[in-house]
Amino acid sequence: MTLEDFTAKLNSSTFWKEFTYSETKFSPRPKQQVELADGIVLIGSLAYVFQLKERTGATEDPDAERKWFRNKVLGKATKQIRDTLGYLSAHESIQLTNTQGHSLEVRGAELSDIKKVIVFSATDALPRDCRETQFYVSDTAGFMHVIAAQDYLGVLDTLRVPNDIRLYFEYRESVLPRLREAGTVVEEPDIMVAFLSELDLPVPGARERLRGFVQDLEAFDLRSILGDLLAHIQNPDPNHDYYRILLEFARSSRSVWREFKLRLVKSLDACKAGNPCRPFRFTIPDNDCTFMIAPLDPDWPSTGSDGERMRINALVMFTEAAKYAAKSTKGVGLLVSKDGDYICLDWCLLDYRWEKDARIENLLATTELFRDVKERMVDSFFFRGD
């Protein structure tokens, strides 16, 4: 598998097919075709632009490998990143097709955060000073991440959640120049430990602490649902509105996924057992978004035309009420129901400014629709022994 294939597969499984672009050729003018980047990830106003450099024709000569690194990684790749930024600036929009097969218009003016990432695959003969090169600063394009392919895999495999990966690269960008100025050399796992531990700066040799990192996939991982969401939509909207639901999860950290999955599992258990259960809700103030998860009341119809109407009405009502009670701008709702031996998941997203509504006020005042809520801090990452 080539580095391009490896990275494309890794990105599409982590950032989902909807946000990943591995084929980025476009025509800036008739009869001319250029490549925007080796890979792109677009999550709302956030973009990752990738350049990938894989060593072919390798030697055992450290000087020859250093020359390759300087020419291809620090030379050609950084220039190509600058070209990418130039294309995005020069063209009002560029049409690309994502890994899901959907064509979308990419508008550089709408990208407020562009992370530049150079991933390289070298041989064992690459000198240490090259391997310790973890970033490059361009006068025109700014900070560029330089990271070995196995380290990039390690970052995605450890963090799993798109927003945590964004925060990691922001942390990486903030600490590496300070470490260089101090003459401190760290490896990628040292940076990861410092990020997970919320340290001001990474410490050399800290990588051993990763052995104690708690990777509680069962508690938080939603990728089996979100990563293939389109396949479970019976009547997909041609405008791909479900992207907006994915976007809210992509903007949320592991702690949010964990809280969502906890309530999802409780809803699934209630639904399978045929037990009535009040809707669950929680709000993320930083994202101005409330999440609502509920099992359909077992006494309500769930199948046929009546059942479909009931599910839609219940989903919207519960989500609208949860959003209103929290005074959020956005609300993501999930309704769990049963159809024989099958489980049905109905989703919705509401997005509009909060305004006083007498109808919802009355609903909340005259029913015990939700449990009481309380504010608390939730951590994303844990280590054994903490």
Side-chain angles (χ1 to χ4, degrees):
M1 183 182 295
T2 66
L3 180 59
E4 285 203 17
D5 291 339
F6 167 79
T7 307
K9 185 175 181 180
L10 184 61
N11 283 347
S12 65
S13 64
T14 304
F15 298 106
W16 307 317
K17 298 175 183 178
E18 286 77 3
F19 300 139
T20 304
Y21 301 77
S22 56
E23 296 293 333
T24 68
K25 291 181 179 178
F26 75 104
S27 298
R29 57 181 60 88
K31 297 183 180 180
Q32 181 189 20
Q33 191 175 64
V34 298
E35 188 175 64
L36 185 58
D38 284 337
I40 292 180
V41 172
L42 293 174
I43 304 175
S45 61
L46 166 68
Y48 296 83
V49 294
F50 291 89
Q51 281 298 327
L52 313 173
K53 295 303 170 192
E54 184 173 16
R55 180 59 164 138
T56 57
T59 71
E60 296 182 2
D61 180 2
D63 289 335
E65 300 309 298
R66 179 184 286 109
K67 182 178 179 181
W68 169 82
F69 184 84
R70 289 177 175 173
N71 289 343
K72 297 297 184 180
V73 178
L74 301 184
K76 185 175 182 180
T78 60
K79 179 184 180 302
Q80 289 171 317
I81 292 280
R82 292 192 295 273
D83 290 343
T84 299
L85 300 182
Y87 291 138
L88 290 172
S89 176
H91 298 274
E92 183 177 348
S93 68
I94 297 173
Q95 187 176 72
L96 296 178
T97 300
N98 61 23
T99 309
Q100 192 62 268
H102 299 155
S103 294
L104 291 94
E105 295 292 329
V106 180
R107 295 177 173 83
E110 296 177 357
L111 301 176
S112 59
D113 184 5
I114 301 178
K115 302 193 183 305
K116 288 85 67 177
V117 184
I118 299 169
V119 181
F120 70 91
S121 177
T123 67
D124 292 340
L126 186 70
R128 183 175 178 179
D129 61 292
C130 297
R131 294 190 181 276
E132 292 174 354
T133 302
Q134 295 165 309
F135 70 98
Y136 179 91
V137 179
S138 163
D139 291 338
T140 56
F143 187 98
M144 302 182 190
H145 297 273
V146 178
I147 185 169
Q150 65 269 23
D151 287 331
Y152 183 63
L153 169 62
V155 169
L156 270 57
D157 187 57
T158 300
L159 296 177
R160 308 286 179 121
V161 177
N163 193 56
D164 292 333
I165 296 167
R166 174 187 68 82
L167 293 172
Y168 176 79
F169 277 105
E170 289 180 1
Y171 178 78
R172 195 178 188 274
E173 182 173 344
S174 73
V175 299
L176 285 178
R178 295 161 60 195
L179 292 171
R180 176 182 286 182
E181 186 175 349
T184 303
V185 177
V186 296
E187 298 179 336
E188 203 67 37
D190 298 328
I191 305 173
M192 179 59 70
V193 168
F195 170 75
L196 298 173
S197 306
E198 298 183 358
L199 300 181
D200 180 54
L201 279 176
V203 178
R207 64 182 302 156
E208 287 303 313
R209 183 164 159 74
L210 271 180
R211 297 178 183 273
F213 176 61
V214 178
Q215 188 67 284
D216 56 337
L217 292 176
E218 284 295 319
F220 79 87
D221 198 1
L222 296 169
R223 291 177 303 167
S224 61
I225 298 173
L226 301 175
D228 202 20
L229 188 57
L230 178 62
H232 299 285
I233 298 177
Q234 291 186 350
N235 299 299
D237 188 287
N239 295 321
H240 314 311
D241 279 353
Y242 78 98
Y243 277 45
R244 299 169 64 202
I245 294 174
L246 288 177
L247 188 58
E248 292 307 316
F249 284 97
R251 288 171 170 164
S252 302
S253 292
R254 179 181 296 208
S255 58
V256 176
W257 286 32
R258 189 183 289 117
E259 294 296 318
F260 188 94
K261 189 166 185 180
L262 173 65
R263 290 156 177 82
L264 172 58
V265 170
K266 288 183 177 181
S267 296
L268 286 168
D269 290 343
C271 187
K272 291 174 182 177
N275 295 329
C277 177
R278 283 191 288 179
F280 299 96
R281 56 175 172 147
F282 67 97
T283 299
I284 309 302
D286 288 349
N287 294 358
D288 195 14
C289 182
T290 293
F291 292 88
M292 189 290 303
I293 309 98
L296 186 69
D297 190 296
D299 293 332
W300 296 355
S302 62
T303 60
S305 57
D306 289 343
E308 184 174 352
R309 252 191 324 270
M310 178 62 75
R311 297 198 324 263
I312 293 173
N313 290 340
L315 173 62
V316 173
M317 178 183 69
F318 293 155
T319 307
E320 192 175 43
K323 172 186 176 302
Y324 184 87
K327 297 185 177 180
S328 301
T329 299
K330 292 171 290 185
V332 172
L334 173 61
L335 186 76
V336 182
S337 61
K338 194 174 179 183
D339 181 1
D341 294 331
Y342 297 95
I343 294 294
C344 180
L345 302 179
D346 290 295
W347 295 84
C348 78
L349 182 138
L350 305 177
D351 186 353
Y352 53 85
R353 187 165 56 92
W354 187 92
E355 291 182 350
K356 195 169 182 62
D357 188 311
R359 177 182 58 86
I360 304 179
E361 291 272 2
N362 182 64
L363 173 67
L364 294 173
T366 58
T367 66
E368 294 183 348
L369 185 61
F370 298 117
R371 301 165 182 81
D372 292 335
V373 295
K374 58 183 179 181
E375 186 174 327
R376 64 185 175 93
M377 296 290 294
V378 288
D379 294 320
S380 281
F381 309 116
F382 305 99
F383 287 87
R384 285 186 289 274
D386 282 358

